[in-house]
PDB file of all heavy atoms in Angstrom:
ATOM      1  N   ALA A   1       0.833  -1.211   0.000  1.00  0.00           N
ATOM      2  CA  ALA A   1       0.000   0.000   0.000  1.00  0.00           C
ATOM      3  C   ALA A   1       0.865   1.258   0.000  1.00  0.00           C
ATOM      4  O   ALA A   1       0.588   2.214  -0.739  1.00  0.00           O
ATOM      5  CB  ALA A   1      -0.941  -0.008   1.209  1.00  0.00           C
ATOM      6  N   ARG A   2       1.937   1.273   0.809  1.00  0.00           N
ATOM      7  CA  ARG A   2       2.835   2.434   0.814  1.00  0.00           C
ATOM      8  C   ARG A   2       3.526   2.600  -0.536  1.00  0.00           C
ATOM      9  O   ARG A   2       3.695   3.708  -1.036  1.00  0.00           O
ATOM     10  CB  ARG A   2       3.868   2.294   1.928  1.00  0.00           C
ATOM     11  CG  ARG A   2       3.322   2.651   3.299  1.00  0.00           C
ATOM     12  CD  ARG A   2       4.430   2.748   4.352  1.00  0.00           C
ATOM     13  NE  ARG A   2       5.063   1.465   4.647  1.00  0.00           N
ATOM     14  CZ  ARG A   2       4.564   0.558   5.467  1.00  0.00           C
ATOM     15  NH1 ARG A   2       3.411   0.768   6.067  1.00  0.00           N
ATOM     16  NH2 ARG A   2       5.204  -0.568   5.679  1.00  0.00           N
ATOM     17  N   GLY A   3       3.923   1.482  -1.136  1.00  0.00           N
ATOM     18  CA  GLY A   3       4.572   1.533  -2.451  1.00  0.00           C
ATOM     19  C   GLY A   3       3.627   2.050  -3.519  1.00  0.00           C
ATOM     20  O   GLY A   3       4.029   2.844  -4.378  1.00  0.00           O
ATOM     21  N   LEU A   4       2.366   1.614  -3.478  1.00  0.00           N
ATOM     22  CA  LEU A   4       1.366   2.102  -4.435  1.00  0.00           C
ATOM     23  C   LEU A   4       1.183   3.609  -4.293  1.00  0.00           C
ATOM     24  O   LEU A   4       1.078   4.326  -5.289  1.00  0.00           O
ATOM     25  CB  LEU A   4       0.025   1.390  -4.220  1.00  0.00           C
ATOM     26  CG  LEU A   4      -0.048  -0.070  -4.655  1.00  0.00           C
ATOM     27  CD1 LEU A   4      -1.285  -0.743  -4.080  1.00  0.00           C
ATOM     28  CD2 LEU A   4      -0.032  -0.171  -6.165  1.00  0.00           C
ATOM     29  N   ASP A   5       1.179   4.084  -3.059  1.00  0.00           N
ATOM     30  CA  ASP A   5       1.027   5.517  -2.798  1.00  0.00           C
ATOM     31  C   ASP A   5       2.241   6.296  -3.320  1.00  0.00           C
ATOM     32  O   ASP A   5       2.090   7.309  -4.003  1.00  0.00           O
ATOM     33  CB  ASP A   5       0.823   5.747  -1.297  1.00  0.00           C
ATOM     34  CG  ASP A   5       0.420   7.165  -0.984  1.00  0.00           C
ATOM     35  OD1 ASP A   5      -0.460   7.698  -1.700  1.00  0.00           O
ATOM     36  OD2 ASP A   5       0.985   7.750  -0.033  1.00  0.00           O
ATOM     37  N   ARG A   6       3.442   5.805  -3.004  1.00  0.00           N
ATOM     38  CA  ARG A   6       4.676   6.477  -3.456  1.00  0.00           C
ATOM     39  C   ARG A   6       4.809   6.459  -4.975  1.00  0.00           C
ATOM     40  O   ARG A   6       5.308   7.416  -5.568  1.00  0.00           O
ATOM     41  CB  ARG A   6       5.897   5.822  -2.825  1.00  0.00           C
ATOM     42  CG  ARG A   6       6.072   6.189  -1.366  1.00  0.00           C
ATOM     43  CD  ARG A   6       7.334   5.618  -0.760  1.00  0.00           C
ATOM     44  NE  ARG A   6       8.524   6.004  -1.501  1.00  0.00           N
ATOM     45  CZ  ARG A   6       9.632   5.273  -1.542  1.00  0.00           C
ATOM     46  NH1 ARG A   6       9.706   4.127  -0.905  1.00  0.00           N
ATOM     47  NH2 ARG A   6      10.675   5.681  -2.229  1.00  0.00           N
ATOM     48  N   ALA A   7       4.369   5.365  -5.608  1.00  0.00           N
ATOM     49  CA  ALA A   7       4.479   5.251  -7.070  1.00  0.00           C
ATOM     50  C   ALA A   7       3.385   6.039  -7.785  1.00  0.00           C
ATOM     51  O   ALA A   7       3.452   6.223  -9.000  1.00  0.00           O
ATOM     52  CB  ALA A   7       4.420   3.780  -7.491  1.00  0.00           C
ATOM     53  N   GLY A   8       2.372   6.479  -7.047  1.00  0.00           N
ATOM     54  CA  GLY A   8       1.285   7.235  -7.662  1.00  0.00           C
ATOM     55  C   GLY A   8       0.434   6.399  -8.607  1.00  0.00           C
ATOM     56  O   GLY A   8      -0.056   6.901  -9.614  1.00  0.00           O
ATOM     57  N   VAL A   9       0.240   5.121  -8.258  1.00  0.00           N
ATOM     58  CA  VAL A   9      -0.570   4.232  -9.098  1.00  0.00           C
ATOM     59  C   VAL A   9      -2.029   4.678  -9.000  1.00  0.00           C
ATOM     60  O   VAL A   9      -2.599   4.736  -7.916  1.00  0.00           O
ATOM     61  CB  VAL A   9      -0.406   2.759  -8.662  1.00  0.00           C
ATOM     62  CG1 VAL A   9      -1.304   1.854  -9.484  1.00  0.00           C
ATOM     63  CG2 VAL A   9       1.052   2.337  -8.787  1.00  0.00           C
ATOM     64  N   VAL A  10      -2.611   5.005 -10.151  1.00  0.00           N
ATOM     65  CA  VAL A  10      -3.967   5.552 -10.188  1.00  0.00           C
ATOM     66  C   VAL A  10      -5.001   4.494  -9.822  1.00  0.00           C
ATOM     67  O   VAL A  10      -5.869   4.722  -8.981  1.00  0.00           O
ATOM     68  CB  VAL A  10      -4.269   6.154 -11.586  1.00  0.00           C
ATOM     69  CG1 VAL A  10      -5.680   6.694 -11.637  1.00  0.00           C
ATOM     70  CG2 VAL A  10      -3.262   7.243 -11.917  1.00  0.00           C
ATOM     71  N   LYS A  11      -4.935   3.330 -10.462  1.00  0.00           N
ATOM     72  CA  LYS A  11      -5.870   2.226 -10.181  1.00  0.00           C
ATOM     73  C   LYS A  11      -5.060   1.026  -9.721  1.00  0.00           C
ATOM     74  O   LYS A  11      -4.557   0.274 -10.555  1.00  0.00           O
ATOM     75  CB  LYS A  11      -6.693   1.892 -11.424  1.00  0.00           C
ATOM     76  CG  LYS A  11      -7.680   2.986 -11.828  1.00  0.00           C
ATOM     77  CD  LYS A  11      -8.473   2.601 -13.045  1.00  0.00           C
ATOM     78  CE  LYS A  11      -9.574   1.667 -12.619  1.00  0.00           C
ATOM     79  NZ  LYS A  11     -10.449   1.285 -13.734  1.00  0.00           N
ATOM     80  N   PRO A  12      -4.921   0.830  -8.404  1.00  0.00           N
ATOM     81  CA  PRO A  12      -4.083  -0.265  -7.897  1.00  0.00           C
ATOM     82  C   PRO A  12      -4.520  -1.654  -8.357  1.00  0.00           C
ATOM     83  O   PRO A  12      -3.708  -2.571  -8.381  1.00  0.00           O
ATOM     84  CB  PRO A  12      -4.215  -0.150  -6.378  1.00  0.00           C
ATOM     85  CG  PRO A  12      -4.650   1.246  -6.129  1.00  0.00           C
ATOM     86  CD  PRO A  12      -5.458   1.651  -7.327  1.00  0.00           C
ATOM     87  N   THR A  13      -5.785  -1.827  -8.711  1.00  0.00           N
ATOM     88  CA  THR A  13      -6.250  -3.147  -9.148  1.00  0.00           C
ATOM     89  C   THR A  13      -5.866  -3.442 -10.594  1.00  0.00           C
ATOM     90  O   THR A  13      -5.836  -4.606 -10.990  1.00  0.00           O
ATOM     91  CB  THR A  13      -7.777  -3.271  -8.981  1.00  0.00           C
ATOM     92  OG1 THR A  13      -8.407  -2.215  -9.699  1.00  0.00           O
ATOM     93  CG2 THR A  13      -8.170  -3.204  -7.505  1.00  0.00           C
ATOM     94  N   THR A  14      -5.578  -2.399 -11.381  1.00  0.00           N
ATOM     95  CA  THR A  14      -5.208  -2.585 -12.791  1.00  0.00           C
ATOM     96  C   THR A  14      -4.104  -1.604 -13.180  1.00  0.00           C
ATOM     97  O   THR A  14      -4.342  -0.648 -13.914  1.00  0.00           O
ATOM     98  CB  THR A  14      -6.420  -2.394 -13.720  1.00  0.00           C
ATOM     99  OG1 THR A  14      -6.991  -1.098 -13.444  1.00  0.00           O
ATOM    100  CG2 THR A  14      -7.460  -3.469 -13.532  1.00  0.00           C
ATOM    101  N   PRO A  15      -2.881  -1.828 -12.716  1.00  0.00           N
ATOM    102  CA  PRO A  15      -1.801  -0.899 -13.022  1.00  0.00           C
ATOM    103  C   PRO A  15      -1.335  -1.016 -14.477  1.00  0.00           C
ATOM    104  O   PRO A  15      -1.462  -2.070 -15.095  1.00  0.00           O
ATOM    105  CB  PRO A  15      -0.693  -1.323 -12.065  1.00  0.00           C
ATOM    106  CG  PRO A  15      -0.937  -2.785 -11.853  1.00  0.00           C
ATOM    107  CD  PRO A  15      -2.435  -2.951 -11.898  1.00  0.00           C
ATOM    108  N   THR A  16      -0.791   0.077 -14.986  1.00  0.00           N
ATOM    109  CA  THR A  16      -0.221   0.063 -16.331  1.00  0.00           C
ATOM    110  C   THR A  16       1.168  -0.580 -16.269  1.00  0.00           C
ATOM    111  O   THR A  16       1.732  -0.768 -15.184  1.00  0.00           O
ATOM    112  CB  THR A  16      -0.091   1.489 -16.884  1.00  0.00           C
ATOM    113  OG1 THR A  16       0.861   2.203 -16.075  1.00  0.00           O
ATOM    114  CG2 THR A  16      -1.429   2.211 -16.897  1.00  0.00           C
ATOM    115  N   ALA A  17       1.754  -0.862 -17.433  1.00  0.00           N
ATOM    116  CA  ALA A  17       3.093  -1.447 -17.487  1.00  0.00           C
ATOM    117  C   ALA A  17       4.116  -0.503 -16.860  1.00  0.00           C
ATOM    118  O   ALA A  17       5.001  -0.937 -16.121  1.00  0.00           O
ATOM    119  CB  ALA A  17       3.457  -1.766 -18.930  1.00  0.00           C
ATOM    120  N   GLU A  18       3.985   0.799 -17.143  1.00  0.00           N
ATOM    121  CA  GLU A  18       4.918   1.784 -16.584  1.00  0.00           C
ATOM    122  C   GLU A  18       4.804   1.835 -15.058  1.00  0.00           C
ATOM    123  O   GLU A  18       5.812   1.946 -14.346  1.00  0.00           O
ATOM    124  CB  GLU A  18       4.663   3.182 -17.168  1.00  0.00           C
ATOM    125  CG  GLU A  18       4.894   3.289 -18.660  1.00  0.00           C
ATOM    126  CD  GLU A  18       3.716   2.769 -19.497  1.00  0.00           C
ATOM    127  OE1 GLU A  18       2.561   2.784 -19.005  1.00  0.00           O
ATOM    128  OE2 GLU A  18       3.963   2.325 -20.629  1.00  0.00           O
ATOM    129  N   GLU A  19       3.572   1.769 -14.556  1.00  0.00           N
ATOM    130  CA  GLU A  19       3.360   1.778 -13.109  1.00  0.00           C
ATOM    131  C   GLU A  19       3.956   0.526 -12.462  1.00  0.00           C
ATOM    132  O   GLU A  19       4.517   0.596 -11.365  1.00  0.00           O
ATOM    133  CB  GLU A  19       1.874   1.894 -12.778  1.00  0.00           C
ATOM    134  CG  GLU A  19       1.293   3.260 -13.094  1.00  0.00           C
ATOM    135  CD  GLU A  19      -0.215   3.326 -12.951  1.00  0.00           C
ATOM    136  OE1 GLU A  19      -0.890   2.283 -13.152  1.00  0.00           O
ATOM    137  OE2 GLU A  19      -0.719   4.423 -12.651  1.00  0.00           O
ATOM    138  N   CYS A  20       3.879  -0.626 -13.154  1.00  0.00           N
ATOM    139  CA  CYS A  20       4.468  -1.867 -12.625  1.00  0.00           C
ATOM    140  C   CYS A  20       5.982  -1.750 -12.517  1.00  0.00           C
ATOM    141  O   CYS A  20       6.581  -2.169 -11.518  1.00  0.00           O
ATOM    142  CB  CYS A  20       4.116  -3.060 -13.514  1.00  0.00           C
ATOM    143  SG  CYS A  20       2.431  -3.616 -13.323  1.00  0.00           S
ATOM    144  N   VAL A  21       6.611  -1.169 -13.540  1.00  0.00           N
ATOM    145  CA  VAL A  21       8.065  -0.995 -13.525  1.00  0.00           C
ATOM    146  C   VAL A  21       8.462  -0.070 -12.370  1.00  0.00           C
ATOM    147  O   VAL A  21       9.378  -0.373 -11.598  1.00  0.00           O
ATOM    148  CB  VAL A  21       8.569  -0.451 -14.878  1.00  0.00           C
ATOM    149  CG1 VAL A  21      10.041  -0.069 -14.794  1.00  0.00           C
ATOM    150  CG2 VAL A  21       8.342  -1.481 -15.980  1.00  0.00           C
ATOM    151  N   ASN A  22       7.759   1.051 -12.231  1.00  0.00           N
ATOM    152  CA  ASN A  22       8.042   2.004 -11.165  1.00  0.00           C
ATOM    153  C   ASN A  22       7.800   1.372  -9.793  1.00  0.00           C
ATOM    154  O   ASN A  22       8.601   1.537  -8.868  1.00  0.00           O
ATOM    155  CB  ASN A  22       7.175   3.256 -11.353  1.00  0.00           C
ATOM    156  CG  ASN A  22       7.615   4.401 -10.479  1.00  0.00           C
ATOM    157  OD1 ASN A  22       8.753   4.457 -10.027  1.00  0.00           O
ATOM    158  ND2 ASN A  22       6.715   5.325 -10.239  1.00  0.00           N
ATOM    159  N   LEU A  23       6.726   0.627  -9.661  1.00  0.00           N
ATOM    160  CA  LEU A  23       6.401  -0.045  -8.405  1.00  0.00           C
ATOM    161  C   LEU A  23       7.466  -1.093  -8.056  1.00  0.00           C
ATOM    162  O   LEU A  23       7.851  -1.238  -6.891  1.00  0.00           O
ATOM    163  CB  LEU A  23       5.022  -0.699  -8.519  1.00  0.00           C
ATOM    164  CG  LEU A  23       4.359  -1.185  -7.252  1.00  0.00           C
ATOM    165  CD1 LEU A  23       4.186  -0.060  -6.243  1.00  0.00           C
ATOM    166  CD2 LEU A  23       3.003  -1.801  -7.583  1.00  0.00           C
ATOM    167  N   GLY A  24       7.960  -1.783  -9.069  1.00  0.00           N
ATOM    168  CA  GLY A  24       9.016  -2.772  -8.846  1.00  0.00           C
ATOM    169  C   GLY A  24      10.277  -2.146  -8.286  1.00  0.00           C
ATOM    170  O   GLY A  24      10.935  -2.720  -7.415  1.00  0.00           O
ATOM    171  N   LYS A  25      10.622  -0.944  -8.770  1.00  0.00           N
ATOM    172  CA  LYS A  25      11.808  -0.246  -8.264  1.00  0.00           C
ATOM    173  C   LYS A  25      11.601   0.201  -6.820  1.00  0.00           C
ATOM    174  O   LYS A  25      12.500   0.090  -5.987  1.00  0.00           O
ATOM    175  CB  LYS A  25      12.111   0.959  -9.151  1.00  0.00           C
ATOM    176  CG  LYS A  25      12.610   0.581 -10.531  1.00  0.00           C
ATOM    177  CD  LYS A  25      12.781   1.801 -11.409  1.00  0.00           C
ATOM    178  CE  LYS A  25      13.143   1.391 -12.825  1.00  0.00           C
ATOM    179  NZ  LYS A  25      13.131   2.545 -13.747  1.00  0.00           N
ATOM    180  N   ILE A  26      10.419   0.707  -6.521  1.00  0.00           N
ATOM    181  CA  ILE A  26      10.132   1.198  -5.172  1.00  0.00           C
ATOM    182  C   ILE A  26      10.075   0.050  -4.171  1.00  0.00           C
ATOM    183  O   ILE A  26      10.659   0.117  -3.088  1.00  0.00           O
ATOM    184  CB  ILE A  26       8.821   2.014  -5.160  1.00  0.00           C
ATOM    185  CG1 ILE A  26       9.023   3.320  -5.935  1.00  0.00           C
ATOM    186  CG2 ILE A  26       8.347   2.276  -3.740  1.00  0.00           C
ATOM    187  CD1 ILE A  26       7.754   4.084  -6.207  1.00  0.00           C
ATOM    188  N   LEU A  27       9.370  -1.036  -4.526  1.00  0.00           N
ATOM    189  CA  LEU A  27       9.186  -2.168  -3.615  1.00  0.00           C
ATOM    190  C   LEU A  27      10.346  -3.162  -3.664  1.00  0.00           C
ATOM    191  O   LEU A  27      10.454  -4.021  -2.805  1.00  0.00           O
ATOM    192  CB  LEU A  27       7.881  -2.908  -3.936  1.00  0.00           C
ATOM    193  CG  LEU A  27       6.582  -2.142  -3.754  1.00  0.00           C
ATOM    194  CD1 LEU A  27       5.395  -2.981  -4.219  1.00  0.00           C
ATOM    195  CD2 LEU A  27       6.404  -1.712  -2.304  1.00  0.00           C
ATOM    196  N   GLN A  28      11.176  -3.059  -4.687  1.00  0.00           N
ATOM    197  CA  GLN A  28      12.284  -3.990  -4.915  1.00  0.00           C
ATOM    198  C   GLN A  28      11.780  -5.431  -4.999  1.00  0.00           C
ATOM    199  O   GLN A  28      12.233  -6.320  -4.282  1.00  0.00           O
ATOM    200  CB  GLN A  28      13.352  -3.827  -3.845  1.00  0.00           C
ATOM    201  CG  GLN A  28      13.975  -2.445  -3.860  1.00  0.00           C
ATOM    202  CD  GLN A  28      15.049  -2.258  -2.816  1.00  0.00           C
ATOM    203  OE1 GLN A  28      15.316  -3.143  -2.006  1.00  0.00           O
ATOM    204  NE2 GLN A  28      15.674  -1.101  -2.849  1.00  0.00           N
ATOM    205  N   VAL A  29      10.794  -5.632  -5.880  1.00  0.00           N
ATOM    206  CA  VAL A  29      10.221  -6.963  -6.105  1.00  0.00           C
ATOM    207  C   VAL A  29      10.477  -7.398  -7.540  1.00  0.00           C
ATOM    208  O   VAL A  29      10.696  -6.568  -8.429  1.00  0.00           O
ATOM    209  CB  VAL A  29       8.698  -6.992  -5.814  1.00  0.00           C
ATOM    210  CG1 VAL A  29       8.428  -6.770  -4.342  1.00  0.00           C
ATOM    211  CG2 VAL A  29       7.942  -5.986  -6.657  1.00  0.00           C
ATOM    212  N   ASP A  30      10.459  -8.705  -7.745  1.00  0.00           N
ATOM    213  CA  ASP A  30      10.667  -9.271  -9.080  1.00  0.00           C
ATOM    214  C   ASP A  30       9.401  -9.204  -9.929  1.00  0.00           C
ATOM    215  O   ASP A  30       9.475  -9.164 -11.153  1.00  0.00           O
ATOM    216  CB  ASP A  30      11.115 -10.732  -8.975  1.00  0.00           C
ATOM    217  CG  ASP A  30      12.383 -10.880  -8.158  1.00  0.00           C
ATOM    218  OD1 ASP A  30      13.341 -10.125  -8.407  1.00  0.00           O
ATOM    219  OD2 ASP A  30      12.407 -11.745  -7.258  1.00  0.00           O
TER     220      ASP A  30
END
């Protein structure tokens, strides 16, 4: 939830490809 907020993901249930890449960097997930 904090990562979604920091990444500015508009719709957390259906993120875009760009949002996934940004979220991956913030959360450090594969």
Side-chain angles (χ1 to χ4, degrees):
R2 281 190 293 279
L4 288 166
D5 190 45
R6 285 184 56 208
V9 177
V10 179
K11 292 181 79 177
T13 56
T14 55
T16 65
E18 297 81 26
E19 289 172 331
C20 285
V21 171
N22 192 22
L23 193 58
K25 290 175 186 172
I26 291 170
L27 296 176
Q28 298 181 357
V29 293
D30 302 312

